[in-house]
Amino acid sequence: MSSDMVQRARVLALAMVLVLVLAGAANAKKEEGNETIEVGDHIAIEVENSGDGDIDVRYFVAVTEGPAIDVFFMDEESYAGYVNESDFDYFVEYSTLDTTFVDKTFVWDELGVFYVVIDNTPSGTLPPEPPEERNATLRYIVTWEEAEKSYWLRDFALMLIVVCLVFFGLVLVYLFMNRTRKKKGK
């Protein structure tokens, strides 16, 4: 096989990987960071479902140093109550209390603005008493994307890659067989 064909194969493989990566991220929204949340504070990530259908929501939080935290999923009204330190509700099934590691994924079908709140306050789990152990250092990633569109695009890109790989494999077999016949004919 010539070096030109090898180079073309590499470019094709890279293009297929790029298509797959972009297909998965085309509709996704993401917020991530490494933060230290002081006792009594929180991080809020706004997640919006604009009405185009269900969304896939995923949050990953890993405390690397400090106490367990809470991760609440709530609507705008509840978040306003939370910020004003009054009574607030949250979606229990989609929240996680008293954790140092969580990786949760769910499908959300209600329209509007919602919040993933990473909490280091007494609102859920009480922070520990010794002051040196009260701040939580953590890594978080929150993603949300339209469920139906993202799966369709990802599936299409994957199918396209499979078809290209099969075609490329058949071309390689044909070239190899043709080369073998030429050598036998000499």
Side-chain angles (χ1 to χ4, degrees), residues 59 71-73 91-96 104-108:
Y59 61 80
V71 182
F72 299 116
F73 186 69
F91 300 101
V92 175
E93 184 178 346
Y94 306 113
S95 300
T96 306
K104 188 172 219 122
T105 304
F106 56 92
V107 176
W108 189 251

Side-chain angles (χ1 to χ4, degrees), residues 45-169:
I45 295 95
E46 186 177 299
V47 174
E48 183 175 2
N49 187 357
S50 61
D52 293 335
D54 296 350
I55 58 173
D56 290 326
V57 178
R58 178 180 183 199
Y59 61 80
F60 165 86
V61 180
V63 176
T64 55
E65 189 176 324
I69 47 89
D70 302 313
V71 182
F72 299 116
F73 186 69
M74 60 182 74
D75 61 20
E76 278 186 295
E77 184 179 329
S78 295
Y79 182 66
Y82 172 87
V83 170
N84 294 324
E85 297 180 6
S86 61
D87 287 338
F88 69 94
D89 292 320
Y90 58 92
F91 300 101
V92 175
E93 184 178 346
Y94 306 113
S95 300
T96 306
L97 303 181
D98 195 24
T99 187
T100 56
F101 178 85
V102 62
D103 189 359
K104 188 172 219 122
T105 304
F106 56 92
V107 176
W108 189 251
D109 62 355
E110 291 186 32
L111 303 178
V113 175
F114 301 89
Y115 291 87
V116 174
V117 177
I118 305 170
D119 170 81
N120 191 19
T121 74
S123 295
T125 303
L126 292 173
E129 287 303 316
E132 65 275 2
E133 296 177 12
R134 298 173 76 180
N135 295 338
T137 301
L138 52 89
R139 169 84 177 138
Y140 70 92
I141 303 170
V142 179
T143 60
W144 61 101
E145 62 185 323
E146 297 174 17
E148 295 167 12
K149 289 183 179 177
S150 64
Y151 291 142
W152 178 86
L153 187 57
R154 190 174 302 137
D155 290 347
F156 176 76
L158 187 58
M159 186 59 75
L160 181 64
I161 288 172
V162 169
V163 167
C164 289
L165 287 173
V166 168
F167 177 75
F168 184 69

